[in-house]
């Protein structure tokens, strides 16, 4: 299989009245016959499907028809005003994307914000969802010991609400994401800065954040209250040193979800797919293949 690149895998589709951007790659031969895996990114400044999961795509695409979706308000997808909570809006958009592409059912991998979207999809569109692999997911965890808001959420709000955000603020946020500070390179900061400060990206971030601030929709973001209704097999994964959605939050999700198991990565923050890429890829392939 040719190594997938950003350009070679880039696609767009019109679904639910939105233009959605995604990347797609799959096994050589007959990729349309392989099981489908949809990967949903987190909500940090400049985040996208490729920024979160581009490094994992070559491995997963050997086994699955793999889609890295730019969720609404992110990447090259549309940045609409939302008419419901973000998790529900994005879940509906992903479900519509699947219908448009003729994908009846897919496994979902969701990181942080994308984990919340994946859970809402399993609740609202259960027939379209196979297994769930959740990485420090939003909405379904409740901090038992860590303060709330967490350090990572505070840094995110600082950047997103600043009139003139700075590279120092961005570097500080990225540093909280990672346990190994060596991965927060100047190149990474510059790459995320270019995206995060784009006016269109800032508009999307503001609209996403506004949905979480809407009192009428607050209950719908508390996915932990509905987690007992998840019927799919779920693999919860967490970085032991996660400073965004800390490990103690996993305990509520693990107890509430009927068919859940938990894997903890040591020496790992909120980016298990990057910091522990080899172990994460092995885990994903094994869980989603059997």
């Amino acid at each position: 299989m040719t190594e997938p690149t950003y350009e070679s895998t880039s696609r767009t589709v019109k679904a639910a009245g939105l233009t959605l951007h995604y990347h797609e790659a799959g096994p050589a031969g007959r990729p349309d016959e392989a099981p489908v895996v949809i990967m949903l990114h987190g909500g940090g400044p400049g985040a996208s499907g490729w920024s979160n999961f581009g490094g994992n795509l070559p491995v997963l695409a050997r086994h699955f028809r793999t889609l890295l979706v730019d969720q609404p308000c992110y990447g090259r997808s549309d940045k609409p005003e939302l008419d419901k909570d973000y998790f529900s809006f994005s879940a509906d958009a992903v479900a519509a994307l699947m219908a448009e592409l003729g994908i009846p059912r897919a496994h979902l991998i969701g990181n942080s914000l994308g984990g919340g979207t994946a859970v809402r999809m399993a609740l609202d569109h259960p027939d379209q969802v196979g297994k769930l692999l959740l990485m420090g997911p939003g909405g379904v965890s409740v901090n038992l010991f860590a303060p709330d808001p967490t350090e990572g959420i505070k840094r995110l709000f600082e950047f997103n609400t600043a009139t003139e955000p700075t590279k120092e603020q961005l570097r500080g946020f990225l540093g909280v994401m990672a346990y190994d500070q060596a991965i927060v390179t100047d190149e990474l900061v510059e790459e995320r800065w270019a995206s995060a400060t784009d006016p269109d990206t800032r508009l999307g971030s503001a609209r996403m954040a506004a949905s979480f601030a809407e009192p009428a929709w607050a209950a719908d973001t508390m996915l932990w209250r509905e987690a007992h209704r998840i019927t799919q097999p779920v693999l919860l994964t967490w970085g032991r040193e996660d400073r965004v959605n800390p490990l103690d939050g996993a305990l509520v999700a693990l107890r509430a979800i009927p068919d859940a198991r938990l894997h903890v990565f040591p020496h790992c923050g909120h980016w298990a797919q990057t910091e522990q890429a080899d172990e994460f890829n092995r885990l994903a392939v094994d869980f989603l293949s059997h």
Side-chain angles (χ1 to χ4, degrees):
M1 184 181 75
T2 304
E3 192 79 0
T5 65
Y6 184 98
E7 293 77 13
S8 70
T9 59
S10 179
R11 312 276 190 274
T12 57
V13 67
K14 196 81 171 180
L18 301 172
T19 296
L20 297 174
H21 178 257
Y22 65 101
H23 297 270
E24 180 176 347
R30 298 181 176 179
D32 289 348
E33 296 181 6
V36 179
V37 171
I38 295 176
M39 306 183 78
L40 301 170
H41 60 80
S48 67
W50 188 267
S51 73
N52 260 202
F53 297 117
N56 308 100
L57 185 59
V59 174
L60 294 184
R62 293 177 201 146
H63 305 270
F64 311 107
R65 180 185 175 189
T66 308
L67 281 67
L68 317 183
V69 176
D70 289 351
Q71 297 188 78
C73 296
Y74 285 90
R76 290 167 57 188
S77 289
D78 282 348
K79 281 67 174 185
E81 289 191 47
L82 307 185
D83 58 3
K84 60 184 69 174
D85 74 280
Y86 186 83
F87 293 145
S88 299
F89 189 95
S90 185
D92 289 349
V94 174
L97 176 147
M98 290 174 61
E100 191 67 28
L101 296 180
I103 298 172
R105 191 175 178 87
H107 303 308
L108 303 179
I109 296 177
N111 175 219
S112 198
L113 183 75
T117 297
V119 169
R120 178 51 72 190
M121 273 205 69
L123 292 167
D124 290 1
H125 307 278
D127 293 342
Q128 291 180 256
V129 179
K131 295 181 177 181
L132 299 177
L133 195 166
L134 308 175
M135 306 158 55
V140 76
S141 62
V142 179
N143 298 342
L144 301 179
F145 311 118
D148 201 2
T150 62
E151 182 182 3
I153 297 300
K154 286 181 180 178
R155 297 267 191 169
L156 176 62
F157 285 161
E158 285 174 6
F159 186 91
N160 282 345
T161 59
T163 304
E164 295 291 339
T166 66
K167 284 186 183 179
E168 289 69 28
Q169 286 177 314
L170 180 59
R171 186 181 289 274
F173 171 78
L174 296 174
V176 170
M177 296 295 102
Y179 172 78
D180 180 5
Q181 295 301 296
I183 72 173
V184 185
T185 61
D186 291 343
E187 181 182 13
L188 175 63
V189 173
E190 291 296 332
E191 177 184 314
R192 292 294 287 263
W193 175 256
S195 175
T197 55
D198 177 84
D200 196 44
T201 300
R202 297 208 71 193
L203 174 64
S205 295
R207 287 179 167 173
M208 178 278 293
S211 76
F212 282 101
E214 173 55 57
W217 303 335
D220 293 325
T221 69
M222 300 177 189
L223 300 172
W224 54 270
R225 305 199 310 181
E226 302 178 65
H228 65 279
R229 297 198 294 110
I230 299 173
T231 58
Q232 295 86 352
V234 176
L235 174 58
L236 299 165
T237 65
W238 241 273
R240 189 180 62 189
E241 287 78 26
D242 193 326
R243 291 188 279 164
V244 180
N245 291 333
L247 177 58
D248 57 283
L251 301 178
V252 170
L254 182 64
R255 181 67 182 85
I257 299 170
D259 190 1
R261 66 278 290 148
L262 172 65
H263 183 94
V264 180
F265 298 92
H267 313 300
C268 182
H270 198 53
W271 283 341
Q273 77 277 15
T274 299
E275 291 196 87
Q276 301 291 340
D278 290 343
E279 185 176 351
F280 171 81
N281 291 337
R282 288 195 302 269
L283 202 66
V285 170
D286 183 67
F287 176 65
L288 299 177
S289 296
H290 300 98

